Amino acid sequence: RWMVATVVALFASLAAAPISASADDEPEPVVATAGAVEICDTDSLMLGDPPDPNDGPPVRGASDPVMPLDTGRFGIYVEPGRLDDIDAAVEQYVLDLRLEGYESFVREFVGSAAALRSDLRSEHMAGMVGALLVGDLPTFEFTSASGPFPETYLHDLYFMDLDGTYVDAAPVDVHRDGSGDVEPEIYVSRITAEPLLWLTGGTEADAVNEYFARVHAYRTGDLTYADRGGAFADADWSTYDWAAAMEALYPAPDVDSVHSLPASTPANFVSFIQEDHESLVHAAHGGPDVAHFYAGPAYFGYEGSVTAQDLVLAGAQPGFYNMFTCSAGDFSGDSLLGAAVIANDRGLHGISSTKPGGIAEYDNYGFYAPLGAGSTVGQAFLEFFQTHTGSTEVPGEEHLISW
């Protein structure tokens, strides 16, 4: 049930496991607002067993994928010229989705970001609930002022909020309700492997095919994980009870948690990711391809870092990642999220932010509760985002949508 999105960076194809205006609404050079992105296709995949109202809180386990609460139309958009090299893997993916009730289509897409958004809007009107973007497909950047200076970042919310209005302005861009609202209508995930080839080896097609093979193995029960969650928070984020939110998906005591000093060290984090957890929440300061660890709050006592390469060399075990680390979902280059999902032979799906900051509502309960109730990752992310996203008419404060 894990998926990929915009205020958060998503990598993968589980999002569908179905992990998704007027001309002046779509200025091509505009940069996207919230920094979320999804990586993978797990949006349509579910974790665990279907809920039974007679059994109390549901217990999730990836060893036996189940039918999502609802299905629909799902779009698979592929970079032009790439489909021939991944055709067999995509065909298997489509077959898997069909068994879960999804009507899927595969399309090589040529065009601008505005054209892709228009295509997604048309397909949504025809019943599409989510989409997976494979390869080097259009991106959208957004500039906002979440601090003293404007920040520009990749913004996949542009491809999910299909009735809002974007205006390319200076010094910051504008994201308004337009003909609808600023909430996403669909969930969107990405598989972006090219920047990670130095970690994966081989070609981009090799990395994509291997990823789809893992997704299929997970769906058939050949790739399994312990029915447990893991939460690891460093210094400034250690006061938040991340584990409590995960208990909506993994009832206590099936969540292992490290959120106190001095336990949150780089060495302990590497050991933690080598344990068998189905999903992991990680909160730390850092950048796109690195997480930093400190002895105390406010950057006190630097203790070291863990890089994207370290995640791969450690053989990280979780399948699903929720990374509250600045820009860890920035898929334009090396990223912690990409390394965990694409460059790691057990990675399936992840969400994170493409900009400094992370998902608001630190407890993340609004995300894990839908998962615990039987939603796919894509559906859960969509519900979480819609719940916590309000309209803003103040230029420059659109970054609040991503928090």
Side-chain angles (χ1 to χ4, degrees), residues 139-340:
T139 59
F140 183 82
E141 292 184 328
F142 192 90
T143 299
S144 64
S146 55
F149 305 104
E151 297 172 329
T152 299
Y153 42 90
L154 295 170
H155 179 70
D156 270 355
L157 179 59
Y158 177 74
F159 302 112
M160 292 185 270
D161 173 22
L162 302 177
D163 59 10
T165 298
Y166 283 87
V167 179
D168 187 7
V172 295
D173 298 322
V174 179
H175 179 199
R176 299 279 177 81
D177 284 356
S179 62
D181 51 43
V182 293
E183 299 174 359
E185 279 68 54
I186 63 172
Y187 51 82
V188 173
S189 297
R190 287 182 183 265
I191 300 177
T192 306
E194 194 278 332
L196 302 163
L197 295 184
W198 72 281
L199 289 173
T200 64
T203 66
E204 185 174 0
D206 291 335
V208 174
N209 285 326
E210 289 170 7
Y211 171 75
F212 274 121
R214 291 197 298 275
V215 171
H216 176 65
Y218 177 78
R219 280 190 159 92
T220 59
D222 292 327
L223 176 60
T224 62
Y225 303 83
D227 192 14
R228 301 185 63 82
F232 195 105
D234 188 47
D236 279 331
W237 316 116
S238 61
T239 57
Y240 299 98
D241 194 353
W242 305 85
M246 298 188 80
E247 288 175 2
L249 178 61
Y250 307 100
D254 293 332
V255 179
D256 299 315
S257 178
V258 174
H259 64 276
S260 61
L261 302 172
S264 56
T265 65
N268 285 347
F269 178 64
V270 170
S271 296
F272 196 78
I273 63 175
Q274 292 173 326
E275 298 177 15
D276 189 2
H277 296 110
E278 184 180 43
S279 60
L280 171 73
V281 173
H282 176 227
H285 288 295
D289 64 347
V290 62
H292 301 306
F293 296 82
Y294 296 89
Y299 304 98
F300 172 79
Y302 174 70
E303 295 185 316
S305 302
V306 173
T307 66
Q309 185 177 30
D310 292 333
L311 290 180
V312 177
L313 294 176
Q317 294 297 296
F320 301 88
Y321 295 82
N322 180 350
M323 290 188 171
F324 192 92
T325 302
C326 289
S327 305
D330 184 352
F331 55 90
S332 64
D334 298 343
S335 69
L336 288 170
L337 194 65

Side-chain angles (χ1 to χ4, degrees), residues 1-16 19-20 36-44 131-132 156 160 186-191 211 331 337 341 348-352 367 377-379 381-382:
R1 271 198 314 273
W2 290 85
M3 83 176 174
V4 182
T6 275
V7 163
V8 201
L10 307 168
F11 288 77
S13 70
L14 286 174
I19 252 167
S20 12
V37 62
E38 250 189 287
I39 298 181
C40 78
D41 139 64
T42 49
D43 289 3
S44 61
L132 171 65
D156 270 355
M160 292 185 270
I186 63 172
Y187 51 82
V188 173
S189 297
R190 287 182 183 265
I191 300 177
Y211 171 75
F331 55 90
L337 194 65
V341 176
L348 292 175
H349 171 273
I351 60 174
S352 188
F367 175 63
V377 179
Q379 293 162 350
F381 183 83
L382 195 64

Side-chain angles (χ1 to χ4, degrees), residues 75-161:
I76 304 164
Y77 292 77
V78 182
E79 176 188 351
R82 293 292 183 188
L83 191 55
D84 285 349
D85 294 331
I86 61 173
D87 184 63
V90 172
E91 181 178 356
Q92 181 62 66
Y93 178 50
V94 170
L95 291 174
D96 289 344
L97 296 185
R98 182 183 302 168
L99 291 174
E100 296 176 0
Y102 288 91
E103 174 195 350
S104 303
F105 65 87
V106 180
R107 179 175 302 161
E108 287 195 327
F109 182 83
V110 180
S112 65
L116 177 56
R117 187 182 189 221
S118 179
D119 195 275
L120 291 167
R121 182 188 296 114
S122 297
E123 291 295 344
H124 173 58
M125 293 176 66
M128 187 180 72
V129 296
L132 171 65
L133 310 182
V134 183
D136 186 14
L137 287 172
T139 59
F140 183 82
E141 292 184 328
F142 192 90
T143 299
S144 64
S146 55
F149 305 104
E151 297 172 329
T152 299
Y153 42 90
L154 295 170
H155 179 70
D156 270 355
L157 179 59
Y158 177 74
F159 302 112
M160 292 185 270
D161 173 22

